[in-house]
């Protein structure tokens, strides 16, 4: 076998979460009362557009969550099959041309020379100039041909996008006949726009560094694409910790009231009184000490970094459940006073049955809305924590580490702006799509909404 599958902790949890979401979609498709709110969500053009954009991010993130180790050539007389210590992903394999082409240091987007002058010899004479890049535009015999070559590659990408537009148009017509209430045209136009932007970048990336290179000469576009997985993990796996705590404590506080309510309120009020960044920083640093003392737990550096990422998700979940608990406490207080709940008490129905059959189904829409709206906040939280040095492992590429590295680059002369710009653009599009989709989900699950998005 030329490679050895090497799933990380977060890979397994991410795929399990994806399976749970697929199971939920299947269950909703069999229950009309559960599928109706989602049908209202995707009747919105905004939701269709954001779903396409977010789906592109998810596809990149999951391609980066299939890890493996490459088999090495076996030495004569050795036993066993040797594998490389480096852990790669399917995304790394697809972006080999970006991952392996490293320059010496900074280079501007689409440049053919380094960003700083160096002293070198030409015909035995010392010259101080901008040296040519080893890979960026290396095939060009004359640098004057660069604008023409860039235009040709962009044109080729747009030509392929135009061909894809025909296929998308045919698919949209067929889908519109089956489900005319869904704005397939908006989704198809968005997908076409993504391809029109991505395909020229793809063709340019085989010859140039589209977003330049960083201090160690690594391609910035590769770093930005690798950062997507970290944001998705932070935004989704944190819910595995946040959701059970927030739901259980919030519903218990609102339903049982009395001393249980007082104790839970005291708990989340005390937790909210502690500065969140300080609490997370203290927990991350303590876990880092444990990881450093037990280096034998990890066979690769990627496993070590992945455990820190998993710990960060757990800590964010343990410190972020209070908002959901407050919302569910208020809703459970209201529901516990309704007539059918009082009737269930009068007939002697057990509290556990009331909670599972009457309370939890009626707060599910609040949970879904809160989870979707919290996603963007968690993505931004990772960027802030990594910027201050208590987020993901420094060796892990994320939007936060890119911004942290760009902090010093912005203070040099001439200024290196492209690392910060790339991280900002990719993170801005992801957060904007998540926020707009969250608004559509909130409107679709609003109990007052009966037709479209117009309150009754």
């Amino acid at each position: 076998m030329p490679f050895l599958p090497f799933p990380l902790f977060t890979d397994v949890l991410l795929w399990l979460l994806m399976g749970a979401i697929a199971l939920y979609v299947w269950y909703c498709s069999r229950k009309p009362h559960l599928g109706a709110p989602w049908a209202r969500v995707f009747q919105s053009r905004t939701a269709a557009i954001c779903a396409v954009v977010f789906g592109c991010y998810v596809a990149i993130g999951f391609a980066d969550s299939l890890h493996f180790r490459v088999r090495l050539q076996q030495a004569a007389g050795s036993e066993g099959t040797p594998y490389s210590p480096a852990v790669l992903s399917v995304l790394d394999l697809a972006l080999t041309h970006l991952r392996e082409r490293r320059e010496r240091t900074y280079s501007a987007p689409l440049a053919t020379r380094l960003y700083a002058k160096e002293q070198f010899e030409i015909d035995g004479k010392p010259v101080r100039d901008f040296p040519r890049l080893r890979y960026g535009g290396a095939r060009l015999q004359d640098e004057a041909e660069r604008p023409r070559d860039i235009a040709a590659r962009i044109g080729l990408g747009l030509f392929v996008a135009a061909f894809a537009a025909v296929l998308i148009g045919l698919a949209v017509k067929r889908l519109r006949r089956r489900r005319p209430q869904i704005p397939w045209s908006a989704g198809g136009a968005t997908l076409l726009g993504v391809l029109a932007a991505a395909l020229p970048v793809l063709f340019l990336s085989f010859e140039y560094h589209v977003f330049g290179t960083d201090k160690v000469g690594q391609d910035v576009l590769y770093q930005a694409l690798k950062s997507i997985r970290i944001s998705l993990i932070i935004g989704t796996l944190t819910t595995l910790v946040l959701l059970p705590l927030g739901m259980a404590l919030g519903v218990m506080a609102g339903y049982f009231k009395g001393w249980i309510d007082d104790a839970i309120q005291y708990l989340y009020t005390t937790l909210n009184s502690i500065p969140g960044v300080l609490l997370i920083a203290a927990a991350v640093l303590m876990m880092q000490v444990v990881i450093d003392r037990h280096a034998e737990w990890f066979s690769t550096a990627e496993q070590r970094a992945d455990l820190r990422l998993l710990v960060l998700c757990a800590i964010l979940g343990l410190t972020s459940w209070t908002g959901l608990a407050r919302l569910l406490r208020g809703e459970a207080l209201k529901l516990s006073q309704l007539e059918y709940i009082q009737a269930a008490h009068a007939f002697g129905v057990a509290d556990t049955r009331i909670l599972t059959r009457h309370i939890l189904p009626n707060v599910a829409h609040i949970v879904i809305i809160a989870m979707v709206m919290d996603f963007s906040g968690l993505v931004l939280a990772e960027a802030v924590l990594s910027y201050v040095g208590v987020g993901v492992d420094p060796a892990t590429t994320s939007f936060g580490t890119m911004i942290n590295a760009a902090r010093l680059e912005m203070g040099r002369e001439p200024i290196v702006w492209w690392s910060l710009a790339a991280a900002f653009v990719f993170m801005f599009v992801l957060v904007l799509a998540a926020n707009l989709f969250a608004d559509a989900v909130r409107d679709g699950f609003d109990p007052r909404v009966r037709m479209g998005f117009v309150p009754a």
Side-chain angles (χ1 to χ4, degrees):
M1 202 172 177
F3 61 89
L4 174 69
F6 196 80
L8 301 175
F9 301 118
T10 52
D11 293 341
V12 176
L13 292 176
L14 193 62
W15 285 106
L16 287 176
L17 183 61
M18 190 66 180
I21 293 174
L23 185 62
Y24 172 74
V25 171
W26 173 80
Y27 185 74
C28 288
S29 65
R30 298 176 62 88
K31 304 290 182 181
H33 68 284
L34 296 178
W38 285 110
R40 289 198 296 268
V41 169
F42 287 100
Q43 287 174 10
S44 166
R45 290 180 178 272
T46 302
I49 292 172
C50 294
V52 172
V53 174
F54 195 72
C56 295
Y57 276 87
V58 170
I60 295 173
F62 277 99
D64 201 19
S65 297
L66 293 170
H67 288 94
F68 60 91
R69 295 169 65 181
V70 179
R71 187 176 66 182
L72 301 177
Q73 186 174 3
Q74 189 171 4
S78 62
E79 297 181 358
T81 304
Y83 288 93
S84 170
V87 179
L88 303 178
S89 68
V90 173
L91 183 66
D92 291 323
L93 192 63
L95 301 179
T96 301
H97 64 290
L98 297 180
R99 177 172 54 88
E100 295 183 348
R101 297 189 311 165
R102 286 201 176 194
E103 307 294 347
R104 289 199 298 273
T105 183
Y106 298 112
S107 65
L110 299 175
T112 57
R113 292 181 176 269
L114 289 178
Y115 198 57
K117 288 185 177 181
E118 294 183 0
Q119 187 168 343
F120 55 95
E121 292 186 357
I122 298 180
D123 298 330
K125 296 181 180 180
V127 177
R128 184 171 177 81
D129 198 357
F130 300 97
R132 282 290 299 267
L133 298 178
R134 283 182 289 184
Y135 300 103
R139 296 182 181 179
L140 297 178
Q141 299 296 329
D142 185 2
E143 291 184 73
E145 299 176 359
R146 183 172 69 100
R148 186 184 306 170
D149 184 61
I150 291 175
R153 292 176 181 273
I154 293 176
L156 181 60
L158 293 177
F159 175 78
V160 177
F163 177 75
V166 177
L167 301 180
I168 293 173
L170 295 175
V172 166
K173 288 183 179 179
R174 182 171 297 182
L175 292 172
R176 191 184 296 170
R177 294 172 185 172
R178 295 183 179 181
R179 295 190 176 182
Q181 69 276 13
I182 297 178
W184 298 106
S185 299
T190 305
L191 180 58
L192 178 59
V194 171
L195 292 176
L199 288 174
V201 170
L202 175 64
F203 284 103
L204 286 170
S205 67
F206 287 104
E207 182 64 23
Y208 302 94
H209 300 289
V210 181
F211 289 154
T213 58
D214 63 358
K215 186 176 181 178
V216 297
Q218 191 174 40
D219 193 276
V220 174
L221 174 60
Y222 173 73
Q223 292 181 346
L225 293 174
K226 290 287 289 183
S227 300
I228 292 175
R229 174 182 179 269
I230 303 299
S231 296
L232 293 177
I233 287 175
I234 293 290
T236 55
L237 294 190
T238 303
T239 60
L240 296 179
V241 180
L242 184 155
L243 192 60
L245 281 174
M247 289 184 64
L249 296 179
V251 171
M252 287 172 59
Y255 178 77
F256 291 108
K257 299 182 277 292
W259 68 269
I260 296 179
D261 186 20
D262 294 338
I264 294 175
Q265 283 194 77
Y266 179 79
L267 177 61
Y268 65 62
T269 301
T270 303
L271 192 61
N272 281 337
S273 64
I274 305 174
V277 175
L278 295 180
L279 185 62
I280 295 171
V284 168
L285 292 176
M286 287 189 296
M287 287 303 304
Q288 186 63 39
V289 172
V290 176
I291 293 174
D292 291 339
R293 288 182 177 178
H294 298 84
E296 69 277 3
W297 291 353
F298 316 102
S299 60
T300 63
E302 285 76 8
Q303 281 184 319
R304 176 192 177 105
D306 189 68
L307 181 60
R308 175 163 172 168
L309 174 60
L310 187 61
V311 169
L312 179 62
C313 293
I315 294 170
L316 282 173
L318 290 172
T319 56
S320 304
W321 59 268
T322 56
L324 178 62
R326 284 185 174 184
L327 288 174
L328 296 183
R329 174 185 174 273
E331 188 70 12
L333 278 172
K334 181 183 72 174
L335 292 174
S336 63
Q337 303 302 317
L338 296 180
E339 290 81 0
Y340 66 93
I341 301 293
Q342 298 295 330
H345 281 299
F347 281 105
V349 180
D351 290 331
T352 55
R353 186 171 180 82
I354 294 175
L355 287 172
T356 56
R357 293 295 300 271
H358 300 298
I359 301 295
L360 288 178
N362 284 285
V363 300
H365 67 285
I366 296 179
V367 174
I368 294 173
I369 294 171
M371 291 301 97
V372 177
M373 297 187 72
D374 285 347
F375 175 86
S376 57
L378 293 170
V379 172
L380 295 175
E382 180 277 324
V384 173
L385 293 172
S386 297
Y387 176 76
V388 300
V390 294
V392 299
D393 191 272
T396 302
T397 303
S398 71
F399 292 127
T401 56
M402 289 181 65
I403 295 172
N404 187 30
R407 174 171 54 92
L408 299 177
E409 297 172 354
M410 296 294 288
R412 72 187 300 273
E413 182 63 34
I415 188 172
V416 178
W417 52 268
W418 44 87
S419 293
L420 180 63
F424 171 79
V425 169
F426 276 82
M427 188 166 60
F428 172 76
V429 173
L430 175 61
V431 172
L432 180 63
N435 284 339
L436 293 177
F437 187 74
D439 291 340
V441 171
R442 180 194 60 199
D443 294 338
F445 279 81
D446 190 337
R448 297 172 300 173
V449 177
R450 290 296 177 266
M451 296 297 294
F453 287 89
V454 180

